[in-house]
Amino acid sequence: MNKYFISLLEEETPKYIIITRHIKKLIDANKIEDGERLPSIRGLAEFLDVNNVTIVNAYKKLQSEGYAVQKIGSGTYAKRKDISKNFKKEYSEVLKKISSKALYEYIDFTGETPNNAFFDIGAFKNVINEVLDRDGAEALVYQEALGYEGLRESISEVFWANKVNSDDVLIVSGAQQGIDIVSKALINTNDSVIIERPTYSGALSVFKSRRADIFEVPMESGGVDVERFEKILKKNKIKCFYTMSYFQNPTGMSYTTEKKKQILRLAQIYDFYIIEDDYLSELIYDKDIEYRSFKSLDENDRVIYIKSFSKIFLPGIRIGYLISPIKFKDSIQNSKINTDISTSSLMQRALDLYIKQGFWKDYISNLNNLYKDRYLFTEKCLKEFLGKKVDFISPGGGLHFYLKIRDCIKVDSINLFRMAKNRNVLITPGTLFYKNPSDGRQYFKMGFSKTNENNIREGVEVLGHLME
């Protein structure tokens, strides 16, 4: 360990402060491991040519700041401070400080929406003009509680083959609002909910704000661990289960049809409801992945289905929809009205016409072709530059990969984020997706939707070097 202290004391700052800062950096970078015995006071004092009191003061400061613990008769030991709990604020502030202009200077692996360069803005502009010519001022002021009737009818016809009644479709301002209004309608303080582990941070925040008792079930290949899921159900009265059925955020995993049916059976037996966030299911690259939502398999009206157009279309239009069980239809609709009364009438009408004229189908088809190539290229780069440093499962669709840093690599995802940011590369550490943030320190999410192939290769190569 002594090699890390060479050339340390050339600053004018008090020596014990310099030593303290240096040891903290080594602990944070895992160069001094959690629980590792620090050098003896006399030994380190002799090595740095300082008096014993300097080292004593440094070790006391480390203890006061939570970076060390003293064991009587044994010595002082490093204690890795859990910085992951406060990291969410740091992460969001970093992204806010990087303006939209400055963002182009970064290789951005944090994006979760399609690149707007792939969107034909001209076609959408023509659709908006056509709506204004057709409906006039009514397009801007007319409101319906459930949402624009034409759009609800298009959703029923195009996406559900008329198997869902248009009156059962509620237009919302994106999936996040959908999760929020469903939670307000269903979940009270101390109600119990089950979530996937890890899960979408926005949903986790909503359930925490409702002061719900949150149970986690680990994600595995094909969906959550059903055996552990049922153990929770046997011991607790569960109100609902939140799930992302395709290309789950962040793991990228998708549920098998069989596992969906198992969970639907459990919902009927144990009397709970499933909140299905149908995330990016339009982007399926692996032909072996079959699209069948929980809602399409639901025979007992147990699924609250939420779909966002913002994720796959343009984030700025903020439109999605939900379909709820009859039991909760009125309460969820009232929750929506209490939140914002109505979603933009003009954007609803424009999206309706965009779907009716076939632009939506062509857009999704084009997006699949473009992103399948980028997905395969990213997968190739990960294997080439990170193959011996991380483990990951290829999701077969969606817009991101979820990677686990191997134990032999002495860096966690928070420190990797910080180092990568200094090299103009942005990633999303896994700590953001767990009820207990420290559980995600070995993981990070890497999206490829906002980055071209040249930058993907360069960015992954940078990450590989930093892990060394």
Side-chain angles (χ1 to χ4, degrees), residues 314-444:
L314 285 180
I317 70 168
R318 304 307 304 159
I319 293 179
Y321 70 94
L322 67 81
I323 304 168
S324 68
I326 294 173
K327 179 178 180 179
F328 300 117
K329 184 177 177 179
D330 290 341
S331 60
I332 288 176
Q333 182 180 335
N334 291 335
S335 179
K336 169 67 167 74
I337 292 171
N338 292 335
T339 300
D340 70 354
I341 300 179
S342 179
T343 301
S344 168
S345 178
L346 176 60
M347 288 297 102
Q348 289 186 64
R349 291 163 185 260
L351 179 57
D352 170 45
L353 195 57
Y354 191 86
I355 293 170
K356 279 186 169 71
Q357 293 186 350
F359 290 118
W360 174 264
K361 184 178 180 180
D362 292 342
Y363 170 68
I364 295 300
S365 177
N366 186 45
L367 212 59
N368 265 276
N369 292 331
L370 290 166
Y371 275 120
K372 181 177 181 180
D373 291 341
R374 190 171 292 189
Y375 162 83
L376 293 172
F377 181 80
T378 305
E379 182 184 49
K380 178 183 175 183
C381 290
L382 292 176
K383 290 177 179 178
E384 180 178 351
F385 297 111
L386 300 182
K388 296 182 180 180
K389 302 177 179 70
V390 303
D391 295 306
F392 68 93
I393 295 173
S394 297
L399 295 172
H400 69 269
F401 287 85
Y402 194 56
L403 305 103
K404 181 181 181 182
I405 302 169
R406 291 184 178 177
D407 293 338
C408 60
I409 304 300
K410 299 302 180 182
V411 64
D412 64 23
S413 62
I414 290 180
N415 286 311
L416 182 62
F417 166 80
R418 290 169 175 165
M419 292 189 294
K421 180 192 67 176
N422 293 333
R423 295 283 298 274
N424 283 23
V425 177
L426 299 175
I427 60 170
T428 304
T431 58
L432 302 175
F433 305 106
Y434 291 80
K435 180 182 173 183
N436 178 10
S438 61
D439 291 344
R441 293 190 70 142
Q442 278 186 282
Y443 299 86
F444 66 97

Side-chain angles (χ1 to χ4, degrees), residues 21 33-34 47 101 116 143 157 171 184 186 230 262 277 287 292 302 320 332-333 360 368 380 420 453:
R21 288 176 182 169
E33 296 184 357
D34 188 29
F47 179 76
K101 183 177 180 180
N116 54 20
Q143 296 178 345
E157 179 183 348
I171 303 299
K184 288 177 180 176
L186 269 68
E230 188 167 12
Q262 287 178 313
D277 186 351
K287 293 180 180 179
R292 294 189 72 184
R302 287 280 167 185
I332 288 176
Q333 182 180 335
W360 174 264
N368 265 276
K380 178 183 175 183
E453 290 190 355

Side-chain angles (χ1 to χ4, degrees), residues 14-83:
K15 292 179 179 179
Y16 83 95
I17 295 291
I18 299 172
I19 295 168
T20 301
R21 288 176 182 169
H22 192 66
I23 294 176
K24 284 165 62 177
K25 287 181 180 179
L26 295 176
I27 293 171
D28 283 339
N30 211 31
K31 291 179 180 177
I32 297 178
E33 296 184 357
D34 188 29
E36 182 177 342
R37 188 176 183 275
L38 297 178
S40 67
I41 293 171
R42 180 180 297 176
L44 188 54
E46 289 179 356
F47 179 76
L48 296 176
D49 194 22
V50 297
N51 59 50
N52 288 357
V53 175
T54 299
I55 305 302
V56 169
N57 289 336
Y59 282 4
K60 283 183 178 179
K61 187 166 179 61
L62 286 170
Q63 290 176 61
S64 69
E65 294 182 12
Y67 275 89
V69 59
Q70 186 180 35
K71 298 180 181 179
I72 303 301
S74 178
T76 304
Y77 292 80
K79 181 181 178 183
R80 196 172 187 182
K81 194 173 181 181
D82 187 5
I83 56 175

Side-chain angles (χ1 to χ4, degrees), residues 86-95 417-418 421:
N86 300 317
F87 177 73
K88 186 175 182 179
K89 182 178 179 181
E90 176 187 339
Y91 176 79
S92 61
E93 286 179 351
V94 166
L95 296 189
F417 166 80
R418 290 169 175 165
K421 180 192 67 176

